[in-house]
Amino acid sequence: MSKGKQKIADWERQNSRALAVRTLEQVKNGAYSNLQLNQIIKDSQLDQRDVNLLTTLVYGVIQHRLTLEYWLQPFTNGKADSFVQELLLVSIFQMQYLDKVPNHAIFDEAIQIAKRRGHDGIRKYVTGVLHAIDRQGFPTMDAIKDPVERLSIEASIPVWIIQQLKQEVGFKKTQSIAMSLNQAPRQTVRVNRAVTDAKTAIASLEEEGFVVSPSLVSADALVVEYGHVASSKAALDGLVTVQDEAATLMVPNLQLQPNAYVLDAAAAPGGKTTQIATYLDSKQGGRVEALDIHPHKVRLIQENAQRLHVDAQIVAQQLDARNVAERFTDASFDAILVDAPCSGFGLMRRKPEIRYEKQYQDSQNLHKIQLAILEAVAPKLKPQGRLVYGTCTIFEIENDAVVQAFLSKHPDFELVKTKGALASETQISGQTELTQQIYPDDYGSDGFFIATLRKKQ
């Protein structure tokens, strides 16, 4: 089957497990899990309960893939065809992680899918493997003597990530980070202070049936449970917007005045742009220039600005941040925000396939791009202005190493203390006392790094 759109039989459209196998095949072949899953759901004939099961199966298998493959390997020797491999992984996931599905139901469903998608030989093979697992049980991890390799299998995190984290933060912290990444991500929103306050936003969400609690990370964020908050009336009306808690910490460090002229150098989809706009008053000249390299993402910024009722303060335009000299004069901005393109390793809880798709070389390449953006935007900042740099990753090469490389060439800038998470006056485990490195295990948020720079003259 090609990497493009697969032909799905009518019977599969009504079968969440069969659709999970299809989705996982495509993700393994390079598709983005969220986009592929959304398309499969759109093309399916599933009710909401089965959509929930499909989603659980897809993300569960992706999240625990290395563990599941370790358990499966003795029974297949790694020789199963692509769809058969994914079918067996879906079955094992249900056996190990879903309490309410009995083994006989899991086996019957898998055998039927094997028969209908394959042939009688595949049916017999799947039947034999599942019954062997049922008789013998799964292999324990006691045989894995190397602690790094064992943690890799237990947490389903590639060995190189474990090794890199161990080098940067020590093995104990690495264990804590790794085991936290398979917890379910929380739903969090930012209160849109341009139109409401936290008390009103909480009341609105609770009226819709959500359970809401204040964030321990950010005064602007709320943790929301039960239901899909992005489609809530509160979100559609612009009272709140979906945003991770840690991501809301960048903008307050700009220390904006209502009349500030601000640059958001890599702005899409506009979460931080619209947060910046809540501090600005367009009648006093307050404005944020929001840049993105892709035209469709510029439109996304504009749509979010309109939904959140802050479009009067925002000018969104297509421009590579490394080329700001083409459009803006030196010393023209009061503040600059660089939410830099990054590897996204801080998002592994929310986007589990990141752990398998990327290598350390990606972070090394991004270091150069991140530094180039800082180099390009720095001359555009006024004296005494603030430049806040951030990433949603956890490796030093994209974080402190970028900041230190920039400062070594720019003595006219200095690092000032970043105001971090509410629950901690000082950072928990980052590299310096001035920057803020939040790891996924610290508060259950995304991993995020923030540094605040001030131009001296």
Side-chain angles (χ1 to χ4, degrees):
M1 187 66 66
S2 70
K3 189 174 178 178
K5 188 173 180 180
Q6 296 188 42
K7 181 174 174 57
I8 300 175
D10 288 341
W11 67 268
E12 288 181 85
R13 297 180 196 279
Q14 303 171 46
N15 189 309
S16 52
R17 293 168 177 85
L19 291 176
V21 173
R22 285 285 187 191
T23 306
L24 289 164
E25 285 179 273
Q26 290 292 76
V27 172
K28 194 78 187 289
N29 206 23
Y32 292 113
S33 63
N34 58 333
L35 300 180
Q36 187 65 32
L37 184 59
N38 288 343
Q39 187 60 52
I40 288 282
I41 291 170
K42 184 179 176 183
D43 293 342
S44 77
Q45 297 167 9
L46 302 178
D47 61 23
Q48 189 56 50
R49 183 178 173 184
D50 284 332
V51 166
N52 294 342
L53 176 59
L54 167 61
T55 303
T56 298
L57 294 176
V58 169
Y59 282 113
V61 171
I62 294 172
Q63 203 162 47
H64 298 282
R65 179 173 289 278
L66 297 186
T67 312
L68 297 169
E69 288 177 347
Y70 175 82
W71 284 329
L72 180 61
Q73 202 276 336
F75 302 97
T76 65
N77 293 317
K79 294 179 180 177
D81 291 342
S82 175
F83 107 77
V84 175
Q85 173 86 354
E86 300 307 316
L87 175 60
L88 290 168
L89 294 180
V90 166
S91 302
I92 291 173
F93 172 77
Q94 293 173 86
M95 293 169 71
Q96 290 293 85
Y97 296 103
L98 299 187
D99 298 335
K100 296 179 181 178
V101 187
N103 279 3
H104 69 83
I106 296 168
F107 292 3
D108 288 348
E109 192 71 44
I111 290 164
Q112 284 301 313
I113 293 170
K115 180 180 178 181
R116 300 188 78 169
R117 270 203 62 183
H119 49 71
D120 200 50
I122 289 177
R123 178 191 64 79
K124 289 178 180 177
Y125 177 78
V126 169
T127 302
V129 169
L130 291 175
H131 285 161
I133 290 171
D134 199 34
R135 287 193 309 272
Q136 299 172 35
F138 294 109
T140 70
M141 297 185 189
D142 295 340
I144 309 174
K145 301 305 179 187
D146 178 17
V148 168
E149 184 183 350
R150 181 167 177 165
L151 180 58
S152 169
I153 298 299
E154 285 177 337
S156 200
I157 307 283
V159 166
W160 79 263
I161 295 178
I162 302 293
Q163 288 174 329
Q164 187 62 38
L165 281 173
K166 179 186 174 185
Q167 181 180 322
E168 294 187 13
V169 298
F171 191 62
K172 184 177 180 181
K173 180 66 175 175
T174 299
Q175 283 180 300
S176 179
I177 294 170
M179 298 312 293
S180 79
L181 289 172
N182 291 328
Q183 297 166 356
R186 292 198 296 239
Q187 279 194 115
T188 60
V189 295
R190 173 174 57 81
V191 176
N192 180 16
R193 297 190 184 276
V195 297
T196 191
D197 55 29
K199 185 178 179 180
T200 306
I202 290 171
S204 178
L205 287 165
E206 288 179 340
E207 192 174 320
E208 293 188 64
F210 294 97
V211 174
V212 188
S213 55
S215 167
L216 294 177
V217 180
S218 167
D220 285 336
L222 303 172
V223 179
V224 183
E225 298 177 81
Y226 305 110
H228 186 245
V229 72
S231 56
S232 68
K233 187 174 188 300
L236 296 175
D237 289 348
L239 300 183
V240 298
T241 188
V242 174
Q243 193 169 355
D244 183 73
E245 300 160 272
T248 68
L249 295 174
M250 283 187 75
V251 172
N253 281 287
L254 292 170
Q255 295 189 350
L256 298 172
Q257 298 300 313
N259 63 347
Y261 185 41
V262 188
L263 175 66
D264 187 352
K272 298 174 191 68
T273 307
T274 53
Q275 188 179 5
I276 289 169
T278 66
Y279 289 80
L280 306 179
D281 182 348
S282 60
K283 294 176 182 176
Q284 296 184 47
R287 189 165 91 241
V288 53
E289 301 278 359
L291 312 182
D292 197 87
I293 197 169
H294 301 292
H296 70 280
K297 291 187 175 181
V298 172
R299 289 194 295 275
L300 195 57
I301 297 168
Q302 293 166 335
E303 289 166 6
N304 280 323
Q306 290 168 1
R307 177 176 61 86
L308 295 169
H309 314 287
V310 291
D311 47 309
Q313 299 97 292
I314 295 172
V315 178
Q317 54 188 299
Q318 182 186 2
L319 184 67
D320 187 327
R322 290 168 290 187
N323 299 328
V324 289
E326 296 175 3
R327 209 162 294 178
F328 303 106
T329 58
D330 288 354
S332 54
F333 290 101
D334 298 297
I336 297 176
L337 185 124
V338 177
D339 181 18
C342 72
S343 59
F345 283 113
L347 308 178
M348 283 188 279
R349 184 186 289 119
R350 202 175 299 281
K351 299 179 179 179
E353 68 266 34
I354 286 173
R355 65 186 81 182
Y356 312 117
E357 293 174 349
K358 297 188 177 181
Q359 300 296 323
Y360 192 64
Q361 181 66 46
D362 294 307
S363 290
Q364 293 173 319
N365 294 337
L366 283 159
H367 171 99
K368 299 171 187 173
I369 295 170
Q370 292 154 349
L371 188 56
I373 292 173
L374 287 179
E375 293 277 0
V377 303
K380 309 306 168 190
L381 188 63
K382 292 178 181 178
Q384 302 305 311
R386 285 188 164 217
L387 190 165
V388 175
Y389 172 82
T391 74
C392 54
T393 196
I394 53 178
F395 290 136
E396 186 177 347
I397 191 170
E398 297 183 61
N399 295 335
D400 269 305
V402 172
V403 173
Q404 293 305 320
F406 173 79
L407 289 172
S408 69
K409 296 180 182 179
H410 293 270
D412 55 329
F413 278 81
E414 61 181 342
L415 197 58
V416 297
K417 186 171 178 61
T418 290
K419 185 178 179 182
L422 285 177
S424 175
E425 287 297 316
T426 59
Q427 66 187 96
I428 290 180
S429 48
Q431 284 75 29
T432 77
E433 292 182 356
L434 295 177
T435 61
Q436 174 82 170
Q437 175 70 73
I438 294 175
Y439 291 101
D441 64 318
D442 290 339
Y443 307 107
S445 68
D446 291 343
F448 214 90
F449 172 83
I450 309 171
T452 305
L453 303 163
R454 183 168 60 206
K455 195 170 192 178
K456 299 180 197 174
Q457 55 192 17

